[in-house]
Amino acid sequence: MVVRSTYSFVLTDVTGEKQYGYCRRIKSRDKLSSLPEVYCVLSKIGSFELYNNVLNRLEELHGVSEAAVHGFLNATISLSVPAPGSKVRVQQLNHKTGRMENVEIERPLDAHRLEHVELSKLLQWLTIQQVTILFGSVLLERRVLISCSHLHLSKLSSCVSSLATLIYPIKWECIYIPMLPRQMIEAVSAPTPYIIGAMSEDLPAIQRELDDDEEPLLHFDLDTGTFLKCYGDEDSLLPSKSVSMIQGELRSLIGRTNDDVAADNTAISNVFLTFMYKLLGHYKEHLIDFQGCREIDPETFVPAVRRYLRPLLDKVKRNSVLLHVHHRHWQRRRLRISLKTLSKITSLS
C-alpha cells in the first residue's frame, strides 16, 4: 500500500553549505504499479511552506497529465524565490477550461521559526514531559535520535523539524538529518551533537553501528512513544522552576487547541520563546568587541541572569551558536527582531 507522505531532508557539502530537499510521495499514475512516485524539490533556500505549496499544486496536476506537471514546473523555475511574507504568481494552463490562470504561491513571513512544524501534533505524539526532555537536550547540544516506521515518514520529518525550532532564536548548527538514508547509517556514531531522524526498519543496523560507541545518546521512538536510550540526567536538564512553567503553560494550551493549526503552532512556540527570552534576553548588555566582531562576554553574561537559570546558562554558553554573536544566523538585526517579539510576549503574559 502506498501511503501519501511529505518529508524533507538536508544535504550538506564539505564547506558546510546546505541544500534543502522537500518531497511528496504519492501513488503512481500507473494503476498496475504498486510503487510510489515522488516529487522532490531541491533548493539552497530553506522554506518548507513555500515548497509545500508547490508540491500541493504538483499533486493536483499529477492526475491530469505529465504535460501539465512539466508546464507548471517550467513556469515555476523561471521565477525568483519570493521574499518572506511575499507571493509569486505562476501562470498555468487550466486543462479543464483551456484558459491560462494565475496560481499564487506564498512564502511565510516567519519562515525560520515555524517552518515545517506541527507543534500541536508534537503534543499528540509525545507527552509534555517527553517534549520538555527533548527541548532541553537540543538546547544543550546533545546527540538526539528520533525513529519511526517508514509508513509514517511525514510524522518523522515533522517531529525532527519541530524539535530543531523549539530553541528559536538559536539556530541548530550541528549535524541535522531529518531523514537518515540507509547508506549513511554510520552518521549515528558521530561524536558531535546531532538531531537525526531514522526509520525503525534501520534500527538493527543502527544498533550495530552504536555497539562500540561509548558516547551517550538520547533515542526516542515515535512508534512506541518511549525513550530507548537516555543520558541518565534527563530529570535535571532544566531548572525545576522552568520545567514547571513550561509544562504548566503547555497543559493549559492542550485544552484550548482549535482548528487553526498556525495559531496553535504559534501559541506553543511562544511558551518556549518566553523561556528563551528569560535565558538570553539580556545578551546585548554584554556584547564586547573581539577581533573586529561582536561577541558575548561570558564572564558577565552568566552572572547577570536570574540565579536559578545560571547553571543552565553556564552550560549553554559553551554552545557553538552562542560563542559568536556575529555568526550569520545571529545577525544583530534578526536577533533584535526576535527579542522584540519576545518582549511583547512577556509583557502580555
Side-chain angles (χ1 to χ4, degrees), residues 129 133 232-238 243:
Q129 182 182 14
I133 289 173
D233 62 349
E234 279 71 22
D235 291 337
S236 58
L237 283 178
L238 303 175
V243 171

Side-chain angles (χ1 to χ4, degrees), residues 46 62 82-83 131 136 153 200 239 266 278 294 309-310 340 347:
H62 178 75
V131 172
L153 294 182
S200 300
T266 301
K278 291 178 180 178
R294 299 282 281 168
L309 289 171
R310 289 176 191 171
K340 186 176 180 181
S347 63

Side-chain angles (χ1 to χ4, degrees), residues 119-182:
L119 296 180
S120 56
K121 291 281 185 68
L122 199 64
L123 292 181
Q124 296 174 18
W125 300 330
L126 287 71
T127 67
I128 288 176
Q129 182 182 14
Q130 290 169 342
V131 172
T132 308
I133 289 173
L134 287 166
F135 165 68
S137 300
V138 172
L139 181 62
L140 293 177
E141 287 190 344
R142 293 186 165 186
R143 301 201 308 171
V144 178
L145 176 67
I146 309 294
S147 58
C148 188
S149 167
H150 75 282
L151 296 176
H152 305 290
L153 294 182
S154 295
K155 182 177 181 179
L156 176 61
S157 179
S158 178
C159 181
V160 172
S161 300
S162 297
L163 289 178
T165 65
L166 290 181
I167 59 173
Y168 184 89
I170 295 177
K171 185 174 177 63
W172 181 264
E173 289 292 342
C174 306
I175 295 174
Y176 176 66
I177 310 175
M179 196 72 59
L180 181 67
R182 192 160 293 164

Side-chain angles (χ1 to χ4, degrees), residues 15 69 80 88 120 131 139 167 198 221 233 261 282 298 304 314 336 341:
T15 66
V69 169
S80 299
V88 291
S120 56
V131 172
L139 181 62
I167 59 173
D221 184 62
D233 62 349
V261 176
H282 62 299
D314 190 50
R336 189 160 58 244
T341 303

Side-chain angles (χ1 to χ4, degrees), residues 58-285:
L58 286 174
E59 186 173 5
E60 291 175 10
L61 297 173
H62 178 75
V64 177
S65 69
E66 191 170 336
V69 169
H70 284 289
F72 176 72
L73 283 175
N74 290 332
T76 304
I77 291 172
S78 65
L79 300 172
S80 299
V81 176
S86 302
K87 301 177 181 179
V88 291
R89 289 182 174 84
V90 182
Q91 277 206 326
Q92 171 70 34
L93 176 65
N94 187 316
H95 288 261
K96 292 182 179 179
T97 64
R99 297 177 180 178
M100 297 299 291
E101 63 179 11
N102 286 324
V103 178
E104 287 191 344
I105 299 177
E106 184 176 7
R107 182 179 178 185
L109 179 62
D110 203 352
H112 296 281
R113 180 182 171 195
L114 297 173
E115 276 288 83
H116 191 22
V117 299
E118 293 182 288
L119 296 180
S120 56
K121 291 281 185 68
L122 199 64
L123 292 181
Q124 296 174 18
W125 300 330
L126 287 71
T127 67
I128 288 176
Q129 182 182 14
Q130 290 169 342
V131 172
T132 308
I133 289 173
L134 287 166
F135 165 68
S137 300
V138 172
L139 181 62
L140 293 177
E141 287 190 344
R142 293 186 165 186
R143 301 201 308 171
V144 178
L145 176 67
I146 309 294
S147 58
C148 188
S149 167
H150 75 282
L151 296 176
H152 305 290
L153 294 182
S154 295
K155 182 177 181 179
L156 176 61
S157 179
S158 178
C159 181
V160 172
S161 300
S162 297
L163 289 178
T165 65
L166 290 181
I167 59 173
Y168 184 89
I170 295 177
K171 185 174 177 63
W172 181 264
E173 289 292 342
C174 306
I175 295 174
Y176 176 66
I177 310 175
M179 196 72 59
L180 181 67
R182 192 160 293 164
Q183 296 83 353
M184 292 176 59
I185 292 292
E186 66 274 9
V188 298
S189 60
T192 56
Y194 61 64
I195 305 176
I196 292 178
M199 290 182 288
S200 300
E201 291 75 12
D202 292 332
L203 287 183
I206 288 174
Q207 185 55 54
R208 288 193 295 271
E209 189 67 35
L210 292 172
D211 280 344
D212 299 324
D213 187 1
E214 298 180 357
E215 293 290 329
L217 169 71
L218 184 68
H219 177 190
F220 184 80
D221 184 62
L222 282 167
D223 294 330
T224 61
T226 58
F227 287 105
L228 302 183
K229 284 192 175 184
C230 295
Y231 276 67
D233 62 349
E234 279 71 22
D235 291 337
S236 58
L237 283 178
L238 303 175
S240 57
K241 187 174 180 179
S242 300
V243 171
S244 298
M245 183 275 292
I246 292 172
Q247 294 186 354
E249 289 292 324
L250 291 178
R251 287 192 190 95
S252 69
L253 290 173
I254 288 178
R256 295 189 311 197
T257 54
N258 50 56
D259 294 332
D260 190 342
V261 176
D264 289 343
N265 284 339
T266 301
I268 295 169
S269 178
N270 284 348
V271 173
F272 296 96
L273 203 55
T274 300
F275 169 77
M276 296 299 287
Y277 179 70
K278 291 178 180 178
L279 188 68
L280 308 173
H282 62 299
Y283 86 100
K284 57 184 177 182
E285 299 170 11

